[in-house]
Amino acid sequence: MEDQNQESSDPVVALSLCDSTPLLWRAQDLRTVRSQSVVGALLGSLPRAPRQNLKLGRPLLLLPEEERLLRERHAALWVMTERTRSRIQAAEMSFLRREQQRSFEEQSVFALEDRKSALQRAMTSSQSGKNEALQRRLLDLDQNFTFPRSALAIQLSTTRAGLNYCPEARAFLQLDWPIRDQGNAQFDTRYLVFRDLWGRGFFLTSAGKFGGDFLVYPGDPLRFHAHFIAICLSLDEPVSLLDILAAARLGCNVKKTVLLCSPAPNGPVHYTSVQWSGMV
Amino acid sequence: MANPNKTCNAEKFYNEILSPSELFAARSRSHKIPVRGQKDFFPDDSKKQREQLQQTLEEHWSLVSEERVERLGNLVKATWNPNEQIVELQTPAGKFWQTMGFSSDGKQFLLPEEALYLMECGNVLVFYKELPLSIQDGYEMFLSSDTVGLQQFQVFGHLKRLGYVVHRFDPSLEPSSYVRQLNLPQSHERGGRTLKRKRSVSPTSSQTETRAESPAEKMEEDSKLPESLLVTSAEPPEAQNASISSADDSRVRTWRTWNGPGRDSEKTLITASSSARSRWDFSTIFFPDLGHGGQRPSCMAPPDPSLLPADLTAGVCDVAAWRHKINLRHVKMSAKERKREQHKHRRWRDMNKDKEVRRCSNWAEYHDLLARRQAKPRGQPAHLWNAEVEPLHNPTRPLSTAELLDKISVIKSTHLLDGASRLKGADEWRICFNVYQPDSVADFRKSNPGKPYARMCVCSFSGPVPDLGVIKQLTFQSGDVPVVFAVVDHGDISFYSFKDFQLPRDVYP
């Protein structure tokens, strides 16, 4: 998807709250944020193969920095659970019943056709002797085919139905944004670094497993390895030399460069790269 | 892809709903995950790279946007009860019942995290107000930070997907330090109640539980006893008004099966004393000895009500029946044993037969005597021991090298559990799950799960690191099962554990 829209016309994604954490649910929303170089982390079981951890599925959890970025760009809004639910309850119930009946009827037609075509395929491939028996079965199928209710395929929706909103509601819903970042200095530092690196076209993910704040990818993490481990420090924060050595050594071992990132007040972000020289 | 504005308007009220033909087609879809190729080092804006990225992204989105489709017949139906925070099954459970869920009052229930996991696996369809819940509904309605929050569920799901059996940890069901010290046999009835207890929201079930609990647990719950008191042995109840707490029959029966016949005296008996309920002093609470002589009354007075749980009444107990069941024969000792007993006896008396001791007319003289006797063997530079600072070691006392090394070590090593029993639990740190290994699934029984492989404590990268006090306390609470810290960093989960480490010693005695 191309990202040539201006900021204001960027599609809006819906965040909904789960145990005070904002999650993205709609597949369309996931694509939208990814097209804006926002990666997030998938948390749920993958429908196709739910019992493995290598590839996970929806929902998508955003880093606090990603969430704040989307909010500042007015590219995300909050969806309230309770209000939406009660409004659609009654309408949904009758809709659902009708839908299921219709689905059952249509699926039984599909099932019948499926069975027929299977038999027909068998007929063309087998000898003439067997054909008669198959012909009889085909007729039989036409007359007393029943599609058992238990064979009805139904969908276990990932996203709540009726999760919709129009652009006009944007401003209104924006007001309901819960205050999550407590304005602590560390979070601000991280956010300034995140915004700067993101603005330079990098993709960022969380780097807890490498002892840093962000992993910095030159392109989409699906296709590229991370180049940097970003460690966010405010400019006036004293750092122990041992910590820097440890970070550099770890970065060297995973073939990444450690970046010390410090945003100057109202200015640019200062980046210092630390690399193990390898000199003996 | 269409213009986003247009999609926004054109989107139906119900989005991401599959059509009947899509549903039908989904029945025969593949369950394979496409393999990811080698990553590139740097984007060079080449056509090849762009195409590869496009293809990978399309694969990714088709996987991520895929909806769960199941046959109606394969789904277990259930309803969500928000008041009790529990999911009740409406149709018979599937294979998952071997490791998940519990039954109560003839109904089958799932805990919210179990139900949510099974929804994600496409095994269970949960209804609320007659509407099926989406996975999103499940996340938003089932997870709460009081019980199992999003982070806990991430860990739960991660472990479940790996095949582990994961149960909620309930501290009140673990044998207390008191029980552990007494080495009481583990009750097998417990497991069954385990699950019931999780529903302690309902007042009816909590009543039935009180009875089934072992008395030792009860004591421990009521009072956190200092360890020194725990080892107090029951003194012979000669001087006491021994009394037996006799509750209704069922209770007595329960206790008997737990401890076997012949050991009754350990359990039921409590004498009245002025002990407060909050802190039991076992030096003043005596266990009556039913086997002691035949001249006792056959009835025992009721125990001090202050020693019993509030809702329990105990009357007079007829002990005659119990007497029949215990061995009242006198102990017959062999000649050799008798000799040993006498010898022991004599050694105790020796003190008073000692002539020098008899010459002492008061305690001061006796102490002098003792001091003199002890000083004697030191011999040579006796003055060294007169000053305030004494030599570290008395050369005349034999000592192994290891002990000597230990004596001169400035920093003493300490164990993880040292002093742990006195620590108070911190609110923000608790053990969340008991984890059992995947290979145990085949013969796993919910009623008797056995010893867990590990216990999980869930915390976050952005939160504090547990301090020594927390680690000590959790390790102590966990007993001999290792505690593992599952640290959640957004999507990633790392597992850490802290273990006691004994420095190797060069010298062995």
Side-chain angles (χ1 to χ4, degrees):
Chain A
M1 180 151 122
E2 283 146 335
D3 191 18
Q4 72 234 119
N5 305 300
Q6 283 124 38
E7 248 179 48
S8 58
S9 68
D10 266 348
V12 174
V13 298
L15 288 172
S16 65
L17 211 61
C18 162
D19 183 29
S20 77
T21 313
L23 298 176
L24 277 180
W25 284 94
R26 301 193 311 173
Q28 183 56 50
D29 288 350
L30 263 63
R31 280 167 176 261
T32 305
V33 296
R34 190 63 163 250
S35 71
Q36 299 170 34
S37 318
V38 169
V39 185
L42 290 166
L43 298 187
S45 300
L46 191 71
R48 181 175 289 194
R51 289 183 168 87
Q52 46 83 34
N53 280 319
L54 298 173
K55 181 98 186 167
L56 294 180
R58 283 179 285 166
L60 186 83
L61 170 72
L62 295 178
L63 287 173
E65 290 77 20
E66 292 172 327
E67 180 201 337
R68 183 160 158 192
L69 185 85
L70 291 176
R71 186 181 41 177
E72 284 188 0
R73 287 161 52 88
H74 301 286
L77 59 76
W78 211 261
V79 179
M80 270 154 312
T81 324
E82 284 316 309
R83 207 182 292 171
T84 337
R85 270 205 83 74
S86 54
R87 192 161 46 79
I88 57 166
Q89 173 79 29
E92 206 175 342
M93 221 133 82
S94 61
F95 176 86
L96 207 85
R97 257 185 229 121
R98 259 183 293 124
E99 236 358 60
Q100 206 173 40
Q101 190 51 39
R102 191 173 68 90
S103 179
F104 177 68
E105 282 155 16
E106 282 188 40
Q107 280 191 41
S108 52
V109 173
F110 287 128
L112 180 57
E113 275 167 17
D114 203 43
R115 193 74 66 81
K116 270 186 186 169
S117 64
L119 278 177
Q120 264 153 5
R121 244 180 291 126
M123 261 155 69
T124 47
S125 62
S126 69
Q127 307 104 0
S128 51
K130 274 190 184 169
N131 252 354
E132 240 167 71
L134 285 168
Q135 195 76 44
R136 228 178 300 122
R137 278 180 64 191
L138 200 61
L139 272 172
D140 193 47
L141 200 64
D142 250 337
Q143 278 154 16
N144 1 300
F145 174 74
T146 47
F147 183 63
R149 189 102 197 157
S150 64
L152 172 74
I154 62 162
Q155 177 186 358
L156 283 84
S157 304
T158 307
T159 313
R160 180 174 38 246
L163 238 193
N164 217 348
Y165 45 85
C166 40
E168 299 87 73
R170 239 193 242 195
F172 168 70
L173 284 170
Q174 202 73 45
L175 296 176
D176 284 318
W177 203 288
I179 297 155
R180 291 211 318 137
D181 20 281
Q182 312 75 17
N184 78 51
Q186 176 60 25
F187 179 72
D188 284 339
T189 309
R190 270 174 62 110
Y191 178 65
L192 290 174
V193 172
F194 179 90
R195 198 177 58 183
D196 189 67
L197 285 169
W198 175 84
R200 293 164 187 253
F202 289 107
F203 286 69
L204 290 96
T205 64
S206 154
K209 59 185 161 196
F210 294 113
D213 287 295
F214 304 114
L215 275 177
V216 186
Y217 295 80
D220 194 299
L222 276 178
R223 288 294 314 156
F224 299 101
H225 293 290
H227 285 188
F228 308 108
I229 298 169
I231 296 174
C232 306
L233 301 160
S234 75
L235 266 183
D236 49 1
E237 196 175 324
V239 196
S240 144
L241 183 63
L242 282 177
D243 287 349
I244 294 179
L245 282 176
R249 186 65 191 253
L250 193 146
C252 172
N253 280 354
V254 295
K255 297 193 183 119
K256 298 184 200 324
T257 306
V258 171
L259 276 188
L260 302 178
C261 319
S262 304
N266 309 315
V269 180
H270 296 284
Y271 296 100
T272 315
S273 74
V274 188
Q275 234 178 340
W276 202 256
S277 75
M279 251 168 53
V280 188
Chain B
M1 189 132 299
N3 177 348
N5 279 332
K6 217 185 245 169
T7 13
C8 198
N9 295 333
E11 257 168 348
K12 279 179 264 150
F13 187 63
Y14 303 95
N15 49 43
E16 298 188 358
I17 299 266
L18 302 180
S19 72
S21 60
E22 284 173 311
L23 284 172
F24 190 76
R27 307 193 327 166
S28 54
R29 72 182 171 200
S30 126
H31 285 278
K32 281 191 183 129
I33 304 172
V35 223
R36 198 176 56 190
Q38 273 291 313
K39 287 184 177 183
D40 292 320
F41 179 70
F42 200 80
D44 53 9
D45 226 17
S46 67
K47 194 174 169 230
K48 186 179 160 231
Q49 268 198 359
R50 244 190 327 227
E51 277 170 1
Q52 273 181 334
L53 174 63
Q54 202 55 41
Q55 198 206 329
T56 320
L57 273 177
E58 278 318 311
E59 276 174 3
H60 176 73
W61 293 129
S62 73
L63 269 185
V64 168
S65 52
E66 198 167 83
E67 287 286 314
R68 290 169 179 83
V69 178
E70 295 294 331
R71 284 164 191 252
L72 196 56
N74 293 349
L75 281 169
V76 176
K77 285 187 189 165
T79 51
W80 166 241
N81 180 344
N83 297 328
E84 301 219 15
Q85 293 279 303
I86 207 113
V87 173
E88 185 186 336
L89 297 188
Q90 303 296 317
T91 55
K95 206 180 145 207
F96 60 82
W97 194 252
Q98 189 175 12
T99 56
M100 285 187 253
F102 62 94
S103 30
S104 166
D105 302 332
K107 292 174 187 161
Q108 296 184 306
F109 296 96
L110 286 172
L111 290 170
E113 67 273 17
E114 295 175 330
L116 187 52
Y117 170 72
L118 290 170
M119 279 164 81
E120 286 198 299
C121 288
N123 292 335
V124 172
L125 185 58
V126 181
F127 289 81
Y128 176 56
K129 293 187 181 166
E130 294 180 58
L131 282 180
L133 291 183
S134 63
I135 307 290
Q136 182 180 6
D137 287 318
Y139 268 77
E140 285 165 17
M141 296 161 86
F142 294 1
L143 302 182
S144 96
S145 37
D146 310 335
T147 49
V148 171
L150 180 63
Q151 281 185 351
Q152 278 91 352
F153 182 70
Q154 277 178 261
V155 174
F156 179 85
H158 183 93
L159 293 168
K160 288 300 286 183
R161 285 189 287 266
L162 289 173
Y164 288 96
V165 177
V166 188
H167 284 174
R168 272 192 201 176
F169 171 78
D170 186 345
S172 60
L173 288 167
E174 292 311 311
S176 58
S177 61
Y178 176 65
V179 175
R180 260 183 243 146
Q181 214 151 357
L182 286 180
N183 207 9
L184 283 183
Q186 284 270 359
S187 129
H188 288 289
E189 273 167 74
R190 262 233 204 114
R193 324 243 165 206
T194 308
L195 298 160
K196 253 184 207 166
R197 171 188 279 269
K198 287 180 187 165
R199 289 191 67 204
S200 53
V201 259
S202 78
T204 41
S205 62
S206 61
Q207 257 180 16
T208 50
E209 276 156 31
T210 2
R211 275 194 190 175
E213 246 166 316
S214 90
E217 267 181 298
K218 198 107 246 135
M219 290 178 196
E220 180 64 7
E221 271 170 26
D222 290 346
S223 60
K224 290 280 169 254
L225 288 161
E227 270 160 44
S228 59
L229 285 182
L230 295 178
V231 266
T232 323
S233 59
E235 278 170 41
E238 251 123 1
Q240 284 94 67
N241 243 339
S243 56
I244 187 164
S245 87
S246 80
D248 48 305
D249 280 357
S250 69
R251 185 180 175 95
V252 169
R253 218 175 298 130
T254 327
W255 287 2
R256 288 193 60 79
T257 49
W258 279 359
N259 286 338
R263 288 178 59 195
D264 308 292
S265 51
E266 280 178 38
K267 319 156 221 162
T268 23
L269 331 146
I270 304 152
T271 337
S273 76
S274 58
S275 68
R277 209 179 156 223
S278 59
R279 197 187 165 96
W280 290 24
D281 182 0
F282 280 96
S283 58
T284 56
I285 304 172
F286 297 103
F287 294 132
D289 179 4
L290 285 190
H292 188 91
Q295 63 277 81
R296 303 185 144 271
S298 63
C299 276
M300 284 194 176
D304 186 342
S306 71
L307 296 173
L308 293 176
D311 53 347
L312 195 80
T313 49
V316 175
C317 179
D318 182 10
V319 292
W322 292 101
R323 284 241 179 89
H324 287 299
K325 291 177 181 163
I326 52 179
N327 185 358
L328 290 171
R329 271 181 303 168
H330 280 287
V331 179
K332 276 188 192 140
M333 281 190 285
S334 68
K336 206 171 163 193
E337 280 172 330
R338 212 173 297 130
K339 221 174 182 179
R340 203 184 300 140
E341 282 293 300
Q342 279 175 356
H343 184 67
K344 230 195 258 172
H345 229 53
R346 213 178 299 129
R347 277 199 15 206
W348 273 108
R349 287 236 193 96
D350 272 352
M351 171 74 74
N352 284 326
K353 287 190 173 160
D354 189 316
K355 272 183 190 159
E356 275 185 299
V357 173
R358 296 191 92 163
R359 242 178 270 136
C360 298
S361 57
N362 55 32
W363 280 108
E365 283 179 32
Y366 177 64
H367 281 298
D368 271 351
L369 173 69
L370 281 187
R372 246 181 291 130
R373 280 183 176 178
Q374 270 178 10
K376 237 182 225 165
R378 275 186 204 142
Q380 318 94 16
H383 64 278
L384 282 179
W385 275 267
N386 291 338
E388 205 171 312
V389 180
E390 289 181 5
L392 199 59
H393 178 58
N394 181 352
T396 56
R397 271 190 57 207
L399 203 60
S400 73
T401 322
E403 276 175 295
L404 189 64
L405 281 175
D406 195 45
K407 228 176 169 179
I408 61 174
S409 67
V410 177
I411 300 169
K412 302 276 184 220
S413 69
T414 141
H415 293 281
L416 194 51
L417 284 174
D418 285 349
S421 57
R422 284 188 294 277
L423 287 170
K424 278 261 178 180
D427 283 341
E428 64 264 52
W429 294 98
R430 63 190 171 98
I431 299 175
C432 287
F433 301 116
N434 282 337
V435 180
Y436 303 87
Q437 271 190 308
D439 53 19
S440 69
V441 171
D443 39 29
F444 185 84
R445 283 171 60 208
K446 284 187 288 187
S447 57
N448 183 20
K451 201 172 103 173
Y453 170 65
R455 298 190 214 273
M456 286 288 152
C457 179
V458 179
C459 54
S460 156
F461 257 68
S462 50
V465 175
D467 58 29
L468 185 61
V470 169
I471 296 169
K472 272 175 182 270
Q473 190 257 325
L474 292 181
T475 310
F476 176 72
Q477 191 181 27
S478 176
D480 52 356
V481 179
V483 179
V484 177
F485 288 83
V487 191
V488 182
D489 175 38
H490 297 93
D492 296 319
I493 301 167
S494 324
F495 297 94
Y496 297 95
S497 60
F498 297 92
K499 283 182 181 149
D500 215 356
F501 180 72
Q502 194 104 45
L503 271 177
R505 283 207 320 201
D506 291 338
V507 185
Y508 287 90

